[in-house]
Amino acid sequence: MDNKILGLHHITAIAGDAQRNFNFYTKVLGLRFLKKTVNFDDPGTYHLYYGDERGSAGTILTFFPWEHMTPGRRGPGQATETGYAVPVGSLDFWMKRFEANGITCNKPAEKFGQRYLTFLDPDGLKLELTEVADDPRTPWTTAEVSAEVATRGFHHITLTLSNIEGTAAVLTDVFGYKLVAQHVNRFRYATDALDTANIVELVAAPGEAHGHVAGGSVHHVAFRVKDDASQLYFRNLLIKKGLQVTPQIDRQYFHAMYFREPGGILFEVATDNPGFMVDEPLAELGTHLMLPPQHESKRAAIEAHLPVLA
Ligand code: ZN
């Protein structure tokens, strides 16, 4: 079988208040609440997952909400913009919706021939909606966010770097991405392994102070592979490149491995298997607090400690 990186799998960011995060992503942005679980490495904290109906790779945005987290600062060594695809003509709807909900947003602008709208989530995480014609993905919809305007999943992630060379080499030499466009210091890479969630933009910001990963920052960027065999293939390639890669870690809904790319950003390679229905049926995704086997025995203490989300 062809071993390919199939675009983005998920993006994980850091939030403050869990309820505020839940309200914004499910109610304002209209994403499905896919999974309510805990940070497996810090089980006193939630790990919240948002995406499409089934949690398809390329739609999954996840958060660690730490209540007293101080705000981070965007800068080199960070994923600085998380971009969603939306239908052409939907940006006016979104701009009005953000204004009505007190969400900071810019006026629509254009880059690489596409209209986009930049906005900040309540913790200051920078997001973009990019108008894409004929995105084939089926959107999750709500009473207020119809299919005519709903997000389709990721369009791109932007990485800001002091020096793009090492990161670009991982994208092109290991992950199969190609440089497809450039404007000033912004370089757009894409893989033709699939048509969606397949863009990574690198922004060269030499001399700028490094960013600080904390509240409102992306924690890591996960790329998608089909299965464990494909993940192992990429593990070996990355090690040959001289990168330090973790062994495979079971994250219950996917299998993960992590490495720090040369520009300083934490990358993950995650599998499609087993998926979000491994412990809840499709209709009930996100409705129970799900704990992995290693934390199930502590359920009562964990539940007593976590805030209720409504
Ligand atoms: Zn991850």
Side-chain angles (χ1 to χ4, degrees):
M1 164 213 131
D2 271 352
N3 288 305
K4 285 188 171 160
I5 292 289
L6 302 168
L8 296 168
H9 184 284
H10 65 270
I11 293 165
T12 294
I14 301 171
D17 185 72
Q19 181 71 53
R20 188 175 64 173
N21 179 264
F22 176 82
N23 287 349
F24 178 72
Y25 285 97
T26 62
K27 295 168 188 171
V28 179
L29 204 55
L31 304 183
R32 182 170 196 191
F33 188 42
L34 276 178
K35 195 65 72 178
K36 178 164 65 173
T37 184
V38 293
N39 182 335
F40 292 3
D41 302 323
D42 178 14
T45 315
Y46 275 128
H47 191 182
L48 307 178
Y49 287 74
Y50 308 101
D52 71 355
E53 182 186 21
R54 4 181 11 96
S56 307
T59 75
I60 309 159
L61 182 63
T62 94
F63 288 89
F64 299 130
W66 277 296
E67 202 180 337
H68 302 294
M69 181 53 64
T70 53
R73 190 185 63 248
R74 275 187 294 282
Q78 264 186 18
T80 49
E81 295 154 355
T82 299
Y84 279 91
V86 292
V88 172
S90 66
L91 293 187
D92 289 346
F93 165 88
W94 286 110
M95 198 166 60
K96 286 189 190 121
R97 187 168 178 79
F98 293 148
E99 282 167 0
N101 284 279
I103 298 300
T104 304
C105 74
N106 284 341
K107 294 258 181 298
E110 201 173 302
K111 83 183 153 184
F112 299 128
Q114 290 171 301
R115 286 185 87 220
Y116 73 100
L117 178 65
T118 301
F119 61 104
L120 301 178
D121 89 351
D123 286 293
L125 183 71
K126 191 176 179 188
L127 297 139
E128 291 179 353
L129 301 177
T130 300
E131 287 189 345
V132 176
D134 304 322
D135 190 307
R137 294 174 288 184
T138 303
W140 177 254
T141 58
T142 70
E144 294 183 5
V145 180
S146 70
E148 286 71 47
V149 295
T151 60
R152 264 48 182 175
F154 296 131
H155 177 261
H156 67 276
I157 185 81
T158 301
L159 312 179
T160 298
L161 300 153
S162 297
N163 176 344
I164 71 162
E165 258 174 52
T167 310
V170 169
L171 290 178
T172 57
D173 302 354
V174 183
F175 282 5
Y177 283 66
K178 293 188 182 78
L179 180 65
V180 294
Q182 182 196 347
H183 181 70
V184 195
N185 64 337
R186 184 178 287 267
F187 301 78
R188 177 176 277 194
Y189 289 81
T191 175
D192 57 12
L194 76 176
D195 297 326
T196 58
N198 64 340
I199 294 169
V200 178
E201 291 185 0
L202 304 186
V203 170
E208 279 186 24
H210 259 234
H212 171 57
V213 172
S217 307
V218 171
H219 183 269
H220 64 266
V221 178
F223 291 86
R224 173 188 174 204
V225 287
K226 184 170 177 290
D227 56 20
D228 292 10
S230 194
Q231 187 183 52
L232 185 61
Y233 169 85
F234 282 103
R235 186 165 192 277
N236 291 331
L237 270 189
L238 289 162
I239 289 169
K240 265 191 211 145
K241 268 268 180 192
L243 292 156
Q244 303 268 341
V245 190
T246 69
Q248 186 190 72
I249 299 172
D250 184 356
R251 293 303 189 193
Q252 186 79 355
Y253 311 109
F254 46 85
H255 300 152
M257 66 179 193
Y258 304 86
F259 65 100
R260 185 91 39 197
E261 59 81 32
I265 300 168
L266 188 60
F267 275 10
E268 175 182 340
V269 176
T271 60
D272 277 350
N273 53 294
F276 289 91
M277 272 86 86
V278 72
D279 57 3
E280 277 176 313
L282 184 62
E284 294 174 22
L285 289 180
T287 59
H288 314 99
L289 176 67
M290 303 312 300
L291 299 176
Q294 66 267 35
H295 297 315
E296 192 58 61
S297 65
K298 291 167 275 176
R299 174 175 284 274
I302 289 171
E303 281 186 341
H305 182 77
L306 291 171
V308 173
L309 298 180

